[in-house]
Amino acid sequence: MINMDMVGENQTLCGSTFQATRTPDSVPSYLNDVLSSGLDLLLGSPALPGLEPSATWAITSPSGTHEPWRAGLTPFSGGSDHEVFMGGGIQVPATMFGSWPDFFYHTNEDTPDKCDPTALRRAVALAMITAGSIANMDAASAIDFSDRMYARARQRMGLDLVRAVETLQAALPGGEDLGEALNLVAHGFERESGALSSLLRLFPGEKSLERTVARHVEGLRLERESAGREVRALSLALSSRRKVSPSHVAAGLSPEEKEAARLVPGRLPDFPGPLADDYVALKLEHKRIPYRNAFPGAAGFEIGAFIDGRRSVLEIRNAVSAECGPVRLEDVREYVQKLAAAGVIVLKKADL
């Protein structure tokens, strides 16, 4: 699903940059790499005065500007119609095309003269490239595309390793959180292997594609194991340099983690999509239960989206922490319990 929200702005007048959002990690998808390839194609052919006819993808309009296009693929963000296609029980990959920041957003100066036909044409071109690439993909081209996805996935997992290293290095001496660093590496594998596997939904039962994807996922698994060893080695080296006791990941779960690992939230048929915070607050108010949302923005969306009847509260906390930044386990557990009290999810206890 392509949600074209704020497109066609004059970037110079509005101070804006065109943004295509990635799907959230709760919906890992090939769509992100299709978008990235389309942006690479369009940005690789800048509009140069007098040379537009010879640059196939230098998209301009006779009545618009001929300025370079500021555009990029950005992390998931909500606030528009694409959210409802992905929240929890609805797993349709979706992106939002928009422009931000905008000097005139929701002001009386937000008028048609701030539009640029060239910017609108470029947004439409990206939408057509994206939709056309998916619609015209066959099994053979999906195999070729999976090779490119695999290469990009390794790059992104490399960035996950950078975050893990920075997490260890930024900690105060003796406060290195090896578990949090390893969680970043593990989550990166889950995200990228999920995106590769999403290609199989386009061609169910296509054995050659299944074998190729399985080979790539195995390559990512080896990458994850190698990164994990590097993180552990760095943790030991940091401890030695800082003259503190090495940070260890506990052999077993803490009592709090054990309890969270047993709690498995599930969806109710009446609430398959995103869990609207205002609705939850209203339901709890009627029951005289105090409520404060500790997770505005993407983190709150993702906690709800990861609720699928299979993941535990601990697994949800780990996934959201890796994607959105560290969140406290007790806050996630309390939030999920409030959702259950509001009657929008069910909460079951599983055996470890």
Side-chain angles (χ1 to χ4, degrees), residues 11-175:
Q11 294 188 326
T12 299
L13 289 178
C14 298
S16 60
T17 297
F18 176 87
Q19 301 175 356
T21 60
R22 297 177 59 86
T23 63
D25 289 359
S26 58
V27 188
S29 176
Y30 58 83
L31 175 60
N32 298 318
D33 283 301
V34 174
L35 287 165
S36 183
S37 297
L39 281 167
D40 287 347
L41 180 65
L42 293 174
L43 293 173
S45 297
L48 300 175
L51 297 180
E52 287 91 343
S54 63
T56 305
W57 295 103
I59 307 296
T60 59
S61 170
S63 58
T65 68
H66 286 215
E67 297 176 353
W69 196 28
R70 294 194 300 271
L73 190 62
T74 62
F76 166 76
S77 63
S80 192
D81 300 334
H82 63 301
E83 274 190 338
V84 300
F85 287 82
M86 297 182 291
I90 305 173
Q91 296 288 302
V92 177
T95 181
M96 176 178 68
F97 288 3
S99 301
W100 197 256
D102 181 343
F103 297 149
F104 308 102
Y105 179 67
H106 285 191
T107 72
N108 60 352
E109 294 296 323
D110 192 355
T111 49
D113 59 292
K114 308 305 188 302
C115 296
D116 176 16
T118 288
L120 180 58
R121 183 172 287 194
R122 289 167 175 171
V124 171
L126 179 60
M128 292 178 65
I129 290 169
T130 302
S133 297
I134 296 171
N136 291 293
M137 189 180 292
D138 57 19
S141 58
I143 290 174
D144 290 341
F145 190 66
S146 75
D147 295 337
R148 296 196 292 276
M149 284 185 66
Y150 173 63
R152 290 177 185 264
R154 292 189 61 176
Q155 288 181 322
R156 289 187 289 264
M157 288 180 68
L159 295 177
D160 293 325
L161 177 57
V162 171
R163 288 179 61 202
V165 169
E166 291 174 345
T167 295
L168 290 175
Q169 291 180 334
L172 295 173

Side-chain angles (χ1 to χ4, degrees), residues 140-272:
S141 58
I143 290 174
D144 290 341
F145 190 66
S146 75
D147 295 337
R148 296 196 292 276
M149 284 185 66
Y150 173 63
R152 290 177 185 264
R154 292 189 61 176
Q155 288 181 322
R156 289 187 289 264
M157 288 180 68
L159 295 177
D160 293 325
L161 177 57
V162 171
R163 288 179 61 202
V165 169
E166 291 174 345
T167 295
L168 290 175
Q169 291 180 334
L172 295 173
E176 298 85 356
D177 194 335
L178 178 56
E180 204 69 66
L182 291 173
N183 181 52
L184 289 168
V185 171
H187 179 76
F189 167 75
E190 295 296 331
R191 180 192 65 236
E192 300 302 336
S193 61
L196 271 165
S197 298
S198 72
L199 273 176
L200 300 177
R201 298 178 200 143
L202 296 177
F203 304 98
E206 185 62 46
K207 298 301 181 184
S208 56
L209 178 60
E210 290 176 357
R211 288 192 295 269
T212 302
V213 168
R215 175 167 54 83
H216 289 329
V217 169
E218 175 62 15
L220 296 181
R221 185 188 65 79
L222 295 175
E223 193 82 9
R224 178 196 63 188
E225 292 179 354
S226 174
R229 288 192 294 269
E230 291 184 42
V231 168
R232 290 178 184 275
L234 174 63
S235 178
L236 289 174
L238 277 176
S239 299
S240 176
R241 294 202 298 264
R242 293 173 169 181
K243 296 180 171 54
V244 296
S245 298
S247 174
H248 296 288
V249 176
L253 300 176
S254 68
E256 180 189 26
E257 289 171 332
K258 286 182 179 179
E259 180 63 21
R262 292 183 61 205
L263 292 175
V264 179
R267 288 271 163 178
L268 289 171
D270 290 342
F271 299 96

Side-chain angles (χ1 to χ4, degrees), residues 325-337:
V327 295
R328 299 195 314 165
L329 178 58
E330 55 265 39
D331 290 339
V332 176
R333 186 184 65 243
E334 180 182 355
Y335 178 59
V336 170
Q337 289 171 335

